[in-house]
Amino acid sequence: MTMKNQITSALSDFFFEYETPRQVLVRNRRVGVVCRLIQLGVLVYIIGWVFIYEKGYQSTDTAVSSVLTKMKGVGYTNVSGIETVWDVADYVFPPQGDSSFVVMTNYIITEGQKMGKCPELKGMHDCTSNADCVGGSFKRTGHGQMTGVCVNKTQTCEVLAWCPIEDDHTIPNPPLLISAENYTLFIKNSVTFPLFGVTRSNLVEGIDGNYIGKCLFHPKKEPLCPIFKLGDIVKLSGFSFEKLAQEGGAIGIVVDWTCNFDVDVKHCKPEYNFHGLYGNPSETDSASASVGYNFRYAKHYMEDKIPKRTLLKVFGIRFDVIVKSLARKFDIIPTLTAIGSGVGIFGVATVVCDLVLLYLLPKREFYKNMKFKYTDTQTQVSSVSLL
């Protein structure tokens, strides 16, 4: 047989012949039941988990989002006969309307501080002589640089600092700005799903200026209202407002956009959830090593050409607006991929049943002979030579 004929025969076999494996039909109830049960399990997995629960026939996308916030409300305090009205410019930090901000609910104020020398607070750096106060050194929890002098009257080291020293051992209780419970928060959120070319706002259909002017969020009655009372937010997160307001804390406001674009886009609406990001509502204050949320800021001014400042230690509730998004839409590619993987998993039934047939059943040798065809190489060579 010439090389040309061999090549022609090989190409003819490749293009014009079809090979299929030989199958053996086994009439065995136990093996048949095992096979069908496995196939049923695979079918339930494909339909129930892949297609219904995981929605494997859809492609997914997450949103690019922006958040704007605006606070409204007025607070009033009367400390030592000094009446003060607090508005948004006084109790919101920062004031730009970011997605993360702090609302002041309590404070300790130290007025008229100026740079000078004064004794440390009791317990900060106690001393009995000047030797206990190393001049020019600092203590991590101290308020200034030690001068090397021990003040006999207070039995504490003298420091160069802003005097008088802030005394924050006693936190006002009840909170000075407990009225913050009635402040309102307006959230404006827009999301864009680039893969599907869809843009949505939490000011959905039916929400206009008149509605916003009179609505207040309620999880059941007004679930789409973008105006929230701070007291309601804290309550829905599982905390007591008064307890949280005294020493501060953190609350997460989650705007959840879970959308199915196989239906009309107008059905894509946000859901609001609230979570305490600091501590556990069931814990007592003594259960935590560091309680609350606070920071300091100072208002500087000049008095008789002497620079002075008013120092505030602010206790507040930090609000973080977190956008969570997931959009789905039918796509033929993930659908075919899910179907293909499901068909492949059906092969598990064949593998398991073959193992049972060939290694576990009493007639396994019989089944092996039926399934496999054995050839003797030496016999085959002899037959060919005889030809």
Side-chain angles (χ1 to χ4, degrees), residues 4-256:
K4 180 180 178 181
N5 292 336
Q6 290 179 347
I7 295 175
T8 303
S9 178
L11 290 175
S12 176
D13 292 344
F14 178 78
F15 284 106
F16 304 115
E17 291 182 357
Y18 170 71
E19 297 177 357
T20 182
R22 184 176 66 173
Q23 294 185 344
V24 179
L25 180 62
V26 179
R27 296 187 180 276
N28 186 295
R29 291 184 179 181
R30 284 180 292 179
V31 176
V33 170
V34 169
C35 182
R36 299 306 173 222
L37 286 177
I38 294 175
Q39 289 176 340
L40 180 61
V42 172
L43 189 63
V44 170
Y45 165 76
I46 295 171
I47 297 175
W49 178 265
V50 176
F51 281 97
I52 297 178
Y53 186 80
E54 289 291 335
K55 294 180 174 58
Y57 58 91
Q58 295 177 315
S59 58
T60 61
D61 190 21
T62 55
V64 179
S65 68
S66 66
V67 175
L68 300 175
T69 59
K70 183 182 292 186
M71 288 291 307
K72 283 191 177 181
V74 176
Y76 167 83
T77 59
N78 188 337
V79 180
S80 301
I82 301 176
E83 294 182 302
T84 307
V85 173
W86 302 78
D87 60 19
V88 175
D90 299 314
Y91 61 72
V92 176
F93 307 90
Q96 291 89 352
D98 292 344
S99 60
S100 181
F101 59 94
V102 178
V103 176
M104 179 168 65
T105 55
N106 207 2
Y107 63 89
I108 296 173
I109 187 169
T110 306
E111 298 181 299
Q113 284 188 322
K114 63 179 180 180
M115 190 60 63
K117 297 178 181 180
C118 49
E120 263 285 14
L121 294 178
K122 195 69 177 176
M124 283 293 182
H125 201 147
D126 298 339
C127 63
T128 56
S129 65
N130 291 345
D132 297 326
C133 306
V134 182
S137 63
F138 298 87
K139 188 177 180 182
R140 183 176 63 86
T141 57
H143 292 87
Q145 176 180 281
M146 286 188 284
T147 63
V149 176
C150 179
V151 181
N152 294 327
K153 183 178 179 180
T154 61
Q155 292 293 293
T156 58
C157 293
E158 183 183 68
V159 292
L160 176 64
W162 286 96
C163 301
I165 298 283
E166 175 196 56
D167 186 357
D168 60 351
H169 287 105
T170 303
I171 300 174
N173 188 19
L176 297 175
L177 284 171
I178 190 65
S179 59
E181 185 175 12
N182 297 314
Y183 298 167
T184 57
L185 167 66
F186 171 57
I187 297 177
K188 189 175 181 180
N189 171 224
S190 63
V191 294
T192 298
F193 296 96
L195 181 63
F196 306 128
V198 176
T199 299
R200 295 289 288 167
S201 168
N202 65 329
L203 306 180
V204 296
E205 295 80 5
I207 296 181
D208 53 20
N210 293 330
Y211 177 78
I212 292 177
K214 60 183 180 181
C215 80
L216 192 63
F217 176 84
H218 187 277
K220 293 184 179 180
K221 298 179 181 179
E222 298 287 351
L224 294 176
C225 180
I227 298 179
F228 309 81
K229 194 168 77 169
L230 297 194
D232 293 339
I233 294 176
V234 174
K235 182 179 179 180
L236 290 169
S237 68
F239 284 86
S240 162
F241 188 88
E242 183 174 352
K243 180 180 178 181
L244 203 64
Q246 183 182 357
E247 298 186 47
I251 300 292
I253 303 173
V254 179
V255 186
D256 187 357

Side-chain angles (χ1 to χ4, degrees), residues 262-279:
D262 287 336
V263 297
D264 199 310
V265 173
K266 69 179 182 181
H267 296 292
C268 179
K269 297 178 181 179
E271 292 184 5
Y272 301 97
N273 300 292
F274 310 93
H275 305 276
L277 302 180
Y278 156 76

